[in-house]
Structure formats: C-alpha cells, structure tokens
C-alpha cells in the first residue's frame, strides 16, 4: 500500500474516535409534510405519509441507510460487509428461517422484485415495500437489522458464503473494471483496496465471531437513517421509537469524512463498468466537495442545464464533432462527493476531435459565462421538470434516502420555494455557480467506447500528457463569444385533418376508427397523476422481412431514432422537445413492430406530433444508417440470435450475424423497407392510456393520427409468416439422455448462464394463457430462487419469461446464473423442479400468491405508462373484442386452469436446455425415476 493510503487510513481512524458521540444534524428545508426525527441513540427517521389515490394499490416503501460499507473492513475482512447484508435476509431474532422470505412473498410482493439490498464502499442500503397490513412486520425486520439482531446461524452462514463466493466469481471482470475506474477517479485512496466484492479467501475463511463483530461495528444506530413513505398509520412515529430504540449509540463516526479533491486534470480511457455504452462518447467530469447549501447546489444544476443546452444547439450543426449532449449528477459514485458530468456522443468515432471540441466549449463558457437568454431557458427547463414530478411512494422514499446520504434535501422532497424560486434567480448567480463547478481542480476527461467494439480509433492514443498538451493548445486559442442560435419548431405547419368515422365504447374504453383506416383505443385516467402511455402496432416484425433482409430488424430501430424526422436531424429534434416531458421509441419484435412511449398530460400534443412525423415524414440520413449498422453489430454479437432459435431452427428470423458485412444495406433500401413496414396507417393499431380529457384526445387523434396519408396504391405490404417449433426433433425420450443430447445440440453464447426453453404446441395466444404463462413463470422462478441458492449456492439471478404470438406458438424460458463448477448440479435441480410442477401443480399458498401477484400488476399498471399501454395492446390484438378490459385473476387463474397448464407446459421432457458451462455432469439417471412432492 502506498504511503498516502496509510495516511488516509490514519485520518479515518482519528475521525472515528473524535466523532464517537456525533449525531447526524437535521436535514434543512425538507417538505413540511415530511416527519423528521432522531432517537436518543442517534438513529434518524424520515416519514412521508402518502394516502393512495382512487384505484391505486395501498403500499408502503421502507428504506434503511447504513453509513458503513466495505471501507471499514480490515485486510482479512474484505467482502464480509456484503456477506452481512446477505445474512440480514436469512434469519433475525424475530424472524425464523424462511420467515423473511415469507414476508417478502406475501400480498403480491416478491422477494428480489420488491425487496433488495446492496453494499458499496461507504454505505449499505436496504429497501423493500410492504402492504399496510404487514407494515409492523416490515418495521420489525428493519429494527432487527438496526438493533444488532441478525442471527448468524452456522448452517445458513455457510450457505450464504457459497452464494457470495459465486457472485465474486461471476463478477470478477466487473470488479476489475470498477477497480480501474476508481484508480483514476479517486487515486491513492483507501477505497481502492476496499471494493465491496471482496476476496474469496476472506469470505470463505473468516470465523463467525469475526463476522458478527464486524456487523456490530458497522451497524450502529448513529450511522443509520430509516425512511418510510406511503400509506402509514397515525402512530407510525411512536412505533419507530419503540422498535428502534434498543441499540445504544456506538463508538463510530456517523459517516466517513469527505474525500480530498485530486488537484489534477486527468484522463480515463476504457469501457467503464458504470456505463454500458453502446456509442463512442466523451465526458468531461467535475468533482466537487459535498454540498452544504441546497440553494447553491440547484444553481449549479441550472448552470449545468445551460451548458447542456448550449452544447445541444451546437450538435445540431453538421460540422460539429458530437451529435448530442447531456449532463448528469453522478454524485455518490464513491462517497458523498458531488460529481457532475457533461456527456457527448461523438460522430464518426473521432474521439480526439470530440474531446478537443468539448474542452473548447467548456473553456469558452468558463471565460464568457451564459447569456441572460440561456439562463432563462435553463431555468424554464428545470422548472418544468419540477412541476411534473411523480408523486409515487417509491420516488419519495428514494429521494429522502438520497437527502439523508448527502445531508441536504433533494429538490423533489424539499420545500421548493426555500431553495428554488425562479423569480429570484439571477444570471449573475447562475454564472457564479458555474464558476464554482468549472474551476474545480479535480477534473476527468473520459474517452468512452462501446464495450464490445473492436475498432481502433484516435481515442486509443490519449493519455494524461496528451490531454495536458491539448488543454494548453486550446487555452492558447482566441475564442469568440458564443453566437446565439434560433431553434427549429417541431412542426412548422399543420397537416390536413383526418376524421373519426366510427366510435365504439364498451367497458370503460373507447375505440376510434379513422378515415385512413387506423384504429385507436383510449383508456381514460385511473389515477389523478397518471401519465399518458402510448403503444402503436403493425403486424410484421422480423418475420415480415424477406429472408435476405431480416438483419434489418437489428438496424431499423436505431436508424429511426438517429435519422430525425421531418426537417429536423436528431440534435435539432432533441432541442425542439427539450422542454417537453415525453418519450417515444421504435419497437421491432419477432412478429410485430411499431412504437411505444409516454408523456405528461401537458406534452400530449407534442407526443402526437412526433408520432405523425415519425410515420408520415420520416427522414433519410446516410450517417445515421452507418451508425445504426455499426451499433447493430456491436450489440447483436456475441448475444446472438436468442434462445428461440434453439426452438424454431432455421425458421427463426434471427441468424448468427457476426460481422459488420452481415449488416450491409444501402440507405435507399433501408428507407424502402421502413416505408413498407410503417407506411400504411390502415394496418396501425394504437393504444392511449392515462387520458385526462377525452375531447382533447379526440381532437389530437384526428389532427395527427388521422392525417397520416394512406399507403400508395402500388405499395407492397410486408406481413409476417407463420412458423412452427422444431424442438421435438430430439430423438431421446428418457429425460437424462434428452438433456445430454440437448446440451450437445444447442448453445447460449454465455458461460455464466443456463437457459431452458419450450414451445407450447396447440396453445392459443390470448389473455387467459398470458395470465397463466406469467403466473406459472413466477411460481417456477420463486422455487428456483430458493432451490438453486440453497442447494447449489447460486446467486439471486433467476429469470422466467414467455413470448406469445399467433405467428409462432407461445414459448417459455428460464435463465439462471451459475458457475462452471455447479452447472451440472443446477441442471439436475432445475429439471427436478420442472417435474414437480408438472406432476403436482401449485400449492394452495402459491395459487393465492399468483392471484395477488397478478392483481398487483393490474393495480399498478398506470404507474408504468409505457408497459401499461403495451399490455393493453396485447390484450386488444389477441382477444379480438373488449372482454379483457377488466380482468379478474381469480376468475382466470382457477385451480382447474392452473393445474391443466402446469401439467401440460412444464413437463421437462418437452424442454430443451443450453448450458455452455456444463463440461461435467452428475448422474442424471435419477431424473428417469418418478419424483414426488407434497400434493396441493
């Protein structure tokens, strides 16, 4: 260890002794509805009562922040803070074995979905949600964690050691990537030797008494904050005082001291783990000391917004080296330090040119500041975001825990007038805040390339010395002041209006048929703050493309995102809608394509305008086609054609395209295929959810969707073709031999995972089977989560899913992470669980949980407008009527329906498996014997 590390560790030791009795100060300027308090032992609590709206599920979000992490581990304890976090979900004084998991799997909640935790360098974070009827039990569990009541049972500790060891093995590459990043981000810091993943020998060998001792050192009440947000009783504060007062104040500081700034501008060149980049990009990063003044922090936010908007305007010019710009608050990457980032996407892989231009603009803004108009624009953008913030329990809880971590209120949970009043903000104050950001001595230029990119660029040659030379050269330039640019409007003129020619209203929804043949289904708001969701669908997708052009399915979505619309390139489009709250993106699937997105009510019209422009006035762009082609190659391979190729063989429309040449296509041909797929409104079905004003929706639908011109008479439509599964081609009927043959026949291109899949022959695509598919997938997922972790030491990662289409049979899939050494054992366990489900179906408890789980999804649909609109489209298309509009899970998921589906769908002899990591197998002949389980 370097000498500076030893000095830093000494600083931490002194701070912990000197601040032994320190209490965390109250957070200033929190919203008056937030109840804030602190117990005599130092534990702080923040409570936000939120009554559920009509039609909204009643839930409560719980958070526990522990200001202790892997930084407090000794040299032989590295990885133990993470292990302690795992043990918290095992057993406590008031929760016996499996009772923690039982709590998280009740009332429609799910272990892993609605509950989780993570350990980082400076903190450990727990979060889960409960129903009001189980709030007392949820608080008791968090109190057990906070009061030192985690039970370190020897058997369970050994099991959890295995799980953590598997996670270390599965994440070695990611851990190394984080280490490389931190070595630049916080050079010569003790954090570098205390990454939360830890070391195998420490996790494997540290005695239980040392583990428990570290738990008591880390989990001291003065280091903790409890957050409760949701439908809480009036006596909630007294309940907290009763449950969390047991543990006495400890001898550790309430939080770690701030890291010192590094007085050097430096470079980082890699594919960093924090950002899974798919494009070539540049970031210029400004590291700041922790903020103590919330108003000053938000002036800095406005300054960063002004800088982003200046860069975005520049990006709209063809001669610029970057195509888009954003700013991010990345604070908390290592500790409480503030970390602002300017991120630009670079054109034509010219990373060096892009970096030089970005620094030139940073210098220009540092020297000349922002104009009054730029500041006013940034304030307006910022104010609109605040005005339309979500009011969900989850957002409140996350914002309160972030406020606790940094000691000042996140703007979401603040009394906003106290720290952000647009009428009082002056350009001088914003420019002063910008100077405080841009003059920090601690800056990092990051040169980013897609993770799987093999191309060589000028960015590969950059290092600190070359960066310093570039900065010196740009600093010697004479820079003129920024020239103001006018924005282009999203639409310069209104299209010829279409008409609604038929209206159908039934079961609370309205369906309009338009004069151009398009159909639009509208669901009005179910909740007061519900945002608009949109989904548009054309039958087609990859199965509609001619075989020689099916690779276009990988190119077209990115091309449509990057080519722009109408008269606007992408940068101009971003600028035109910068003050709107909307999202719209292309969707391209196996048997359908279209678009999906959402918007705040105030951005409803721009959303509809964007849909019109995307379909009626798409833009051709050769550069965008080249970029989308490169991205298709980088993202598609090595992921490959997907698990369904194992099921459908050569009929599956995705191939093992493995080089850029496999994606060769001219811009003209790509435009032609796009027009054939998206150019006929008579084939369009569109769903709008969360509509507040039906009359407004009718007007906008006629003006923008009804005005999309009909397809030209000579246009050749592209429609999907039907295909059938081929997995029955395996010759063996004995399960043991079938699995061996399957492993030899199929591959997954990922040695960290095992994949099971099946196509359901003769099963219709409809709402009933979709409910059965999702409900039973959840059952097998929950069973495997327990079985694989308990018996194979597997990690948390188990996914279960299904696809459904009238053009190919419904499919089911299972995927779980597993180490090479335990691949065979996990294979055996998974096969046994499939057989148990097929022979014995689900228990009464599981059936009840299925009903609750599916009902929760229905209740919470409006919270997620993109997926809500997507699901409504599914039911509309596959049921041919409106009988699905108000489904009741208990009427669909009956005992008879569930038993029949489990018996038919989960027979392991029908499934195939791909596991590239399975080099050695256990004795699989046990699978050829009858397996029994308790009957439901």
């Amino acid at each position: 260890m370097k000498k500076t590390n030893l000095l830093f560790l000494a600083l931490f030791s002194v701070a912990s002794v000197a601040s032994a009795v320190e209490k965390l100060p109250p957070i200033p300027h929190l919203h008056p509805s937030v109840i804030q308090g602190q117990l005599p032992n130092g534990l702080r609590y923040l409570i936000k009562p939120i009554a559920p709206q009509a039609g909204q599920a009643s839930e409560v979000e719980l958070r526990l922040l522990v200001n202790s992490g892997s930084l407090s581990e000794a040299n032989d304890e590295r990885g133990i803070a993470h292990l302690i976090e795992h043990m918290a979900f095992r057993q406590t004084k008031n929760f016996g074995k499996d009772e923690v998991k039982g709590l998280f799997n009740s009332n429609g909640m799910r272990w892993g979905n609605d509950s989780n935790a993570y350990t980082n360098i400076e903190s450990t974070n727990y979060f889960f949600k409960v129903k009001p009827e189980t709030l007392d039990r949820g608080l008791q569990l968090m109190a057990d964690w906070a009061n030192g009541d985690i039970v370190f049972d020897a058997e369970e500790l050994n099991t959890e050691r295995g799980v953590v060891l598997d996670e270390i093995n599965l994440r070695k590459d990611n851990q190394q990537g984080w280490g490389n990043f931190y070595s630049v981000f916080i050079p010569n810091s003790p954090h570098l030797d205390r990454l939360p993943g830890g070391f195998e020998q420490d996790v494997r060998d540290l005695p239980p008494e040392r583990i428990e001792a570290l738990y008591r050192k880390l989990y001291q009440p003065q280091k903790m904050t409890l957050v409760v947000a949701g439908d809480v009783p009036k006596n909630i504060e007294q309940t907290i005082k009763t449950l969390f007062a047991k543990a006495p104040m400890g001898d550790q500081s309430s939080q770690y001291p701030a890291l010192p700034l590094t007085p050097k501008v430096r470079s980082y060149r890699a594919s960093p783990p924090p950002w899974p980049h798919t494009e070539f990009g540049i970031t210029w990063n400004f590291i700041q000391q922790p903020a103590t003044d919330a108003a000053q922090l938000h002036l800095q936010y406005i300054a960063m917004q002004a800088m982003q908007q200046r860069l975005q305007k520049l990006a709209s010019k063809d001669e610029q080296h970057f195509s888009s710009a954003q700013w991010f608050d990345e604070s908390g990457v290592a500790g409480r330090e503030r970390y602002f980032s300017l991120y630009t996407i670079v054109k034509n892989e010219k990373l060096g040119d892009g970096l030089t231009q970005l620094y030139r603009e940073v210098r220009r803004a540092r020297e000349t500041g922002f104009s009054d108009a730029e500041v006013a624009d940034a304030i307006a953008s910022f104010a609109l975001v605040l005005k339309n913030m979500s009011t969900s329990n989850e957002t409140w809880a996350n914002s309160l825990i972030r406020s606790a971590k940094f000691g000042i209120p996140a703007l979401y949970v603040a009394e906003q007038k106290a720290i952000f009043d647009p009428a009082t903000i002056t350009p001088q104050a914003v420019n002063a805040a910008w100077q405080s950001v841009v003059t920090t001595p601690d800056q990092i230029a990051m040169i980013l390339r897609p993770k799987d990119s093999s191309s060589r660029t000028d960015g590969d040659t950059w290092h600190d010395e070359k960066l310093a030379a570039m900065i010196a050269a740009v600093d010697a330039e004479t820079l003129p002041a920024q020239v103001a640019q006018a924005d282009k409007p999203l639409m310069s003129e209104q299209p010829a209006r279409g008409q609604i020619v038929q209206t159908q209203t039934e079961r609370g929804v309205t369906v309009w048929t338009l004069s151009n043949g398009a159909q639009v289904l509208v669901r009005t708001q179910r909740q007061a703050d519900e945002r608009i969701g949109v989904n548009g669908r054309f039958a087609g997708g990859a199965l509609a493309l001619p075989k020689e052009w099916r690779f276009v399915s990988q190119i077209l979505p990115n091309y449509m995102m990057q080519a722009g619309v109408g008269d606007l390139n992408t940068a101009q489009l971003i600028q035109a809608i910068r003050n709107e709250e909307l999202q719209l993106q292309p969707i391209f699937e196996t048997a359908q394509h279209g678009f999906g997105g959402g918007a705040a009510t105030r951005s409803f019209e721009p959303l509809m305008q964007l849909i019109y422009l995307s379909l009626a006035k798409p833009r051709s762009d050769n550069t965008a086609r080249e970029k989308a082609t490169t991205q298709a190659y980088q993202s598609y391979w090595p992921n490959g054609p997907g698990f369904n190729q194992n099921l459908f063989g050569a009929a599956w429309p995705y191939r093992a395209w493995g080089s850029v040449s496999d994606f060769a296509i001219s811009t003209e041909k790509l435009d032609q295929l796009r027009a054939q797929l998206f150019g006929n409104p008579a084939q369009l079905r569109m769903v709008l959810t969360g509509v507040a004003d039906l009359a407004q929706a009718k007007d906008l639908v006629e003006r923008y969707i009804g005005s999309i011109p009909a397809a030209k008479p000579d246009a050749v439509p592209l429609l999907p073709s039907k295909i059938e599964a081929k997995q029955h081609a395996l010759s063996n009927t004995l399960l043991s031999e079938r699995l061996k043959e399957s492993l030899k026949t199929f591959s997954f291109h990922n040695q960290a995972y095992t994949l099971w899949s099946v196509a359901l022959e003769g099963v219709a695509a409809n709402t009933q089977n979709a409910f059965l598919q999702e409900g039973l997938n959840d059952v097998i997922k929950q069973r495997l989560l327990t079985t694989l972790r308990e018996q194979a030491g597997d990690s948390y990662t188990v996914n279960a899913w299904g696809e459904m289409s009238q053009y190919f049979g419904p499919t089911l899939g299972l995927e779980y992470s597993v180490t090479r050494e335990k691949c065979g054992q996990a294979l055996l366990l998974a096969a046994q669980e499939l057989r148990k489900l097929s022979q014995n179906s689900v228990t009464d408890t599981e059936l009840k949980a299925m009903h609750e789980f599916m009902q929760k999804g229905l209740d919470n649909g409006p919270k997620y407008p993109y997926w809500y609109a997507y699901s409504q489209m599914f039911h509309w298309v596959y049921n041919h009527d409106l009988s699905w509009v108000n489904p009741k899970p208990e009427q669909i998921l009956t005992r008879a329906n569930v038993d029949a589906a489990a018996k038919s769908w989960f027979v392991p002899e029908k499934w195939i498996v791909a596991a590239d990591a399975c080099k050695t197998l256990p004795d699989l002949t046990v699978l050829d014997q009858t397996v029994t389980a308790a009957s439901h």
Side-chain angles (χ1 to χ4, degrees), residues 598-660:
T601 297
R602 69 174 187 84
S603 295
F604 192 5
E605 182 166 1
L607 174 67
M608 299 296 277
Q609 290 176 335
L610 192 54
I611 293 171
Y612 166 79
L613 290 170
S614 299
L615 298 180
K617 293 190 175 183
R619 186 172 179 272
S620 180
D621 190 298
N622 190 58
T623 301
R625 190 265 309 161
E626 292 175 351
K627 187 174 181 180
T629 299
T630 301
Q631 288 177 335
Y633 163 66
Q634 292 167 347
S635 61
Y636 185 76
W637 196 258
N639 298 324
F643 79 98
N644 275 346
Q645 189 187 42
N646 294 337
L647 296 173
F648 293 90
W652 194 240
Y654 307 109
R655 313 293 336 133
W657 303 303
S659 68
V660 175

Side-chain angles (χ1 to χ4, degrees), residues 24-27 36-39 42-46 221 224-226 404:
L24 293 172
I27 302 171
Q36 179 175 194
Q38 192 166 22
L39 302 181
L43 184 139
R44 180 167 59 195
Y45 58 87
L46 303 170
M224 299 185 191
T225 299
L226 172 73

Side-chain angles (χ1 to χ4, degrees), residues 148-177:
D149 288 335
I150 297 176
V151 174
F152 292 87
D153 175 81
E155 181 180 348
E156 292 187 332
L157 180 59
N158 284 336
T159 298
E160 214 55 50
R161 285 188 204 258
V163 174
V164 174
L165 287 170
D166 281 350
E167 289 189 8
I168 291 173
N169 286 325
L170 287 168
R171 299 172 182 171
K172 278 182 178 178
D173 291 344
N174 195 47
Q175 182 88 339
Q176 183 178 0

Side-chain angles (χ1 to χ4, degrees), residues 14-58:
V14 171
S16 66
V17 173
S19 305
V21 296
E22 176 194 4
K23 289 188 178 182
L24 293 172
I27 302 171
H29 302 308
L30 279 178
H31 193 278
S33 64
V34 175
I35 302 168
Q36 179 175 194
Q38 192 166 22
L39 302 181
N41 62 9
L43 184 139
R44 180 167 59 195
Y45 58 87
L46 303 170
I47 306 167
K48 169 57 180 171
I50 308 173
Q53 299 175 6
Q56 187 180 56
S58 181

